[in-house]
Amino acid sequence: MEEKQEKTIQIAARERGPGPGRYGLPSTCGYISHDGTKYKAPAYSMGTRLQNSMFRKDCSPGPGYFIEASITRGGKDGTPVYSILGRQKDPNTFKTPGPGTYCPERVHPQGERHAPVYSMGSRTRYRKRDSTPAPNAYGLPPVLGSKVINKSSAASYSMTARSKTGGFSEDLAKTPGPGHYKVTPPDTVKQNAPKYSMLSRNHMPGDSTLKPGPGAHSPEKVYTTKPKAPSFSMGIRHSEFICPLIIDVQD
């Protein structure tokens, strides 16, 4: 008869492989960090409706702020400009002024002398580009002292403190004594005499290092050149899958 093979039960705790959550594949949704090997559909965004025109977020100028190309920083350019208009419907649109419109009494007769006529206007407004300096903006060189420029300067004198050396109050008795002068050593011009120095006494030569005694050696623990006997230890076998024993303690 055939022997029955025991079926080994595989414990799930022995599975050490990573799960599906351990793999990080690029996303196929959206456009941020999209998988480069997959097709990506176009992405659109929806904005919010602007609020009241006074508090709207778009502060860009409108069409009314358009500056024509003929406007420069000095004004409009002088190139001629032509326009084409349509034909007028009513030919009587242009009306010639009548005799009462003219004021000939205001025109002085030609060829006759008349008194000069003056008109009073307002003060011309100060422009920013007319940056004329004020009188206090000029810095003129000084005319006093020794730093006069392009002008004749008088003689300048300065007063210093009284000097202690060479003055009438100088104490000539405070001259240096013989001990202040440096005497030339005799070895400079004569034969140099022998010189000796004294040193401290030297210690006797010897070895001051500490040597281990006979009890410091352990020849029985040397296994480098000798065979080592087997070593055994007794312990308790533990299983990593055993369930801990929990007992309810009754008082």
Side-chain angles (χ1 to χ4, degrees):
M1 294 179 66
E2 297 181 358
E3 297 180 358
K4 295 183 179 181
Q5 297 180 358
E6 295 181 0
K7 187 176 181 181
T8 305
I9 299 176
Q10 186 70 19
I11 301 176
R14 295 184 180 276
E15 297 292 337
R16 301 297 184 187
R22 296 281 299 203
Y23 300 96
L25 299 177
S27 176
T28 57
C29 298
Y31 64 95
I32 300 176
S33 302
H34 191 273
D35 191 358
T37 60
K38 302 293 183 180
Y39 173 76
K40 182 172 66 173
Y44 304 95
S45 60
M46 297 180 65
T48 58
R49 178 178 295 177
L50 296 178
Q51 300 177 0
N52 190 6
S53 60
M54 182 180 294
F55 305 98
R56 60 185 179 183
K57 298 180 181 179
D58 188 6
C59 299
S60 58
Y65 292 91
F66 176 74
I67 301 176
E68 300 180 359
S70 60
I71 303 298
T72 61
R73 64 177 183 178
K76 296 188 66 173
D77 56 353
T79 56
V81 180
Y82 304 95
S83 61
I84 299 177
L85 299 177
R87 181 177 296 176
Q88 298 180 2
K89 296 181 180 180
D90 187 4
N92 298 325
T93 303
F94 181 74
K95 296 181 179 180
T96 305
T101 308
Y102 299 96
C103 298
E105 66 276 2
R106 296 183 179 180
V107 179
H108 191 79
Q110 296 184 1
E112 296 183 5
R113 297 180 64 183
H114 57 86
V117 179
Y118 303 97
S119 61
M120 297 180 65
S122 60
R123 180 175 294 178
T124 305
R125 190 175 297 177
Y126 178 76
R127 297 178 297 179
K128 291 185 178 180
R129 56 184 177 182
D130 298 337
S131 56
T132 305
N136 58 351
Y138 297 95
L140 299 178
V143 294
L144 299 176
S146 60
K147 298 181 180 180
V148 180
I149 301 175
N150 297 331
K151 292 183 180 297
S152 59
S153 176
S156 300
Y157 303 96
S158 61
M159 298 180 65
T160 59
R162 180 179 295 172
S163 179
K164 294 183 179 180
T165 303
F168 68 94
S169 61
E170 182 181 2
D171 189 2
L172 300 178
K174 294 181 179 180
T175 55
H180 284 268
Y181 297 96
K182 185 177 181 182
V183 181
T184 304
D187 296 338
T188 304
V189 295
K190 295 183 179 181
Q191 185 179 1
N192 191 1
K195 297 179 181 179
Y196 303 95
S197 61
M198 297 180 65
L199 299 178
S200 60
R201 180 178 294 178
N202 296 327
H203 296 280
M204 294 297 294
D207 190 3
S208 60
T209 58
L210 298 177
K211 275 74 175 178
H217 299 278
S218 301
E220 67 277 0
K221 296 183 179 180
V222 179
Y223 306 108
T224 305
T225 58
K226 297 180 180 181
K228 179 183 178 182
S231 302
F232 302 96
S233 62
M234 298 181 66
I236 302 174
R237 180 178 295 177
H238 299 278
S239 176
E240 59 180 340
F241 312 112
I242 191 172
C243 181
L245 180 60
I246 304 174
I247 301 175
D248 296 337
V249 180
Q250 297 179 0
D251 297 337

